[in-house]
Amino acid sequence: MKVADNLKTIKETIAKACEQSNRRPEEIKIIAVTKYVSIERAKEALDSGIVDLGENREEGLTAKWEVLQNKPTWHFIGSLQSRKVKNIIDRVDYIHSLDRLSLAQEINKRAKRIIKCLVQVNVSGEESKHGLAPEEVRSFIDEMKQFSNIEVAGLMTMAPYTNDREFLRECFKRLKNIQLDIQRLELDYAPCTELSMGMSNDYAIAIEEGATMVRIGTALVGEE
Ligand SMILES: *Cc1c(COP(=O)(O)O)cnc(C)c1O
C-alpha cells in the first residue's frame, strides 16, 4: 500500500472520530512512526504530506536523521536511557517518554534550548509498561519547575494491547482527566496542551477522548 492511500483512510477515520466528539481534525497531529520501515518509506510519508516522524530508538532516529535532517518534526517516543540523551537531544523536537527525574536532569543538562517533553503515564497499571502511576504525575510535574530547559508540553500513554474498546476508552479518559488537573494549575513551565495517545488499532477512540497527537506506525507506513 502507498502511504498516501493509508493516509487517506486514516484521515477519514479521524474526521469521523472528530465528528463524534465535536472536535476539529486540525487539532490532531498525525505522527508517522517509522521505526519498522526504511528511510525511503519515511521519505514517502513526508512526500505524502506527513510532517511529524516518530522513532523509538536512538539508532533508528540517528540513521533517519542523517538523511532527512530537520525537514520533519522529530518525536522521540520510546523509553530513553539517560546515557543516550546526548546523542538525540539536538535532533528532536519532542520527547514523549519522560518518566523519571534522572532523565529530566540529563535532558536539562544536555539541552541547548527548551525541549518539549511529554510525561509518560502508565494509566492501565500494566507491569510491563513504562511511565508514572497516575497519582505520581502531579508531584513529578512540580519537580520540573527546576529545569529551565524542559517544557512539559503534555502527557503520553501507551494503552494495553486489547480489543476491549471500553477499557481502552477508560484509559484515554483517565489521561485526559490528569491533563485537566495539570492545566488547572496554570504553570508556565507546564502548559500541558498535548495528549499523545492512540496507535494503529486504537487512535479513533483516543481522538474521541481528546488526543492531540496520534502515533501511527503499522496502519500508515506498514511494518517493513
Ligand atoms: C511502535 C509504537 C507506536 C506505533 O505502533 P503501531 O501499532 O504500529 O501504530 C506508537 N507508539 C509507540 C511508543 C511505539 O513504540
Side-chain angles (χ1 to χ4, degrees):
M1 282 292 269
K2 287 200 194 117
V3 175
D5 294 334
N6 293 335
L7 183 58
K8 187 164 173 276
T9 309
I10 289 168
K11 283 187 170 165
E12 286 164 7
T13 306
I14 291 178
K16 264 187 231 144
C18 283
E19 222 174 85
Q20 289 278 324
S21 51
N22 264 316
R23 301 187 63 201
R24 291 176 301 119
E26 304 81 70
E27 296 170 21
I28 293 131
K29 269 196 188 83
I30 302 172
I31 301 172
V33 176
T34 49
K35 65 185 184 195
Y36 307 118
V37 302
S38 64
I39 294 172
E40 280 313 308
R41 191 70 167 165
K43 273 189 194 156
E44 189 193 332
L46 297 177
D47 289 341
S48 57
I50 287 288
V51 178
D52 296 86
L53 296 188
E55 282 283 332
N56 70 335
R57 294 179 60 227
E58 181 228 352
E59 294 78 3
L61 180 99
T62 302
K64 291 197 176 69
W65 199 92
E66 296 294 344
V67 177
L68 303 172
Q69 305 274 313
N70 55 8
K71 192 169 161 230
T73 298
W74 287 104
H75 299 258
F76 193 87
I77 61 172
S79 67
L80 180 55
Q81 289 172 282
S82 295
R83 66 187 171 84
K84 295 196 168 173
V85 167
K86 61 179 180 304
N87 304 335
I88 63 146
I89 195 78
D90 293 335
R91 298 174 170 174
V92 295
D93 298 287
Y94 290 87
I95 295 175
H96 290 233
S97 46
L98 179 55
D99 62 355
R100 59 194 190 279
L101 202 53
S102 57
L103 179 59
Q105 269 157 348
E106 184 66 11
I107 291 170
N108 188 61
K109 182 172 133 192
R110 300 286 180 179
K112 301 184 194 84
R113 65 198 150 92
I114 294 179
I115 308 289
K116 290 181 192 289
C117 295
L118 287 83
V119 173
Q120 186 169 353
V121 186
N122 180 358
V123 271
S124 66
E126 271 188 306
E127 294 250 354
S128 60
K129 291 275 189 295
H130 292 268
L132 298 167
E135 60 275 16
E136 296 170 332
V137 174
R138 169 73 198 276
S139 65
F140 182 79
I141 287 177
D142 284 344
E143 294 269 12
M144 294 304 106
K145 187 180 166 74
Q146 62 186 296
F147 301 125
S148 54
N149 285 333
I150 291 182
E151 177 185 298
V152 180
L155 304 177
M156 178 274 218
T157 199
M158 279 183 84
Y161 285 103
T162 171
N163 290 322
D164 183 344
R165 317 296 281 174
E166 280 319 302
F167 184 66
L168 289 169
R169 191 177 294 284
E170 207 43 55
C171 290
F172 297 140
K173 267 197 207 328
R174 263 184 238 162
L175 195 69
K176 176 73 198 181
N177 282 329
I178 300 169
Q179 181 204 24
L180 291 173
D181 287 343
I182 302 299
Q183 284 185 320
R184 266 184 223 112
L185 304 173
E186 299 187 20
L187 306 169
D188 52 2
Y189 64 91
C192 210
T193 51
E194 305 289 352
L195 268 190
S196 169
M197 55 187 198
M199 311 186 355
S200 289
N201 63 336
D202 57 16
Y203 68 91
I205 307 175
I207 289 169
E208 287 170 18
E209 299 306 329
T212 64
M213 294 173 163
V214 289
R215 310 177 308 268
I216 308 183
T218 316
L220 179 55
V221 292
E223 319 185 62
E224 54 180 4

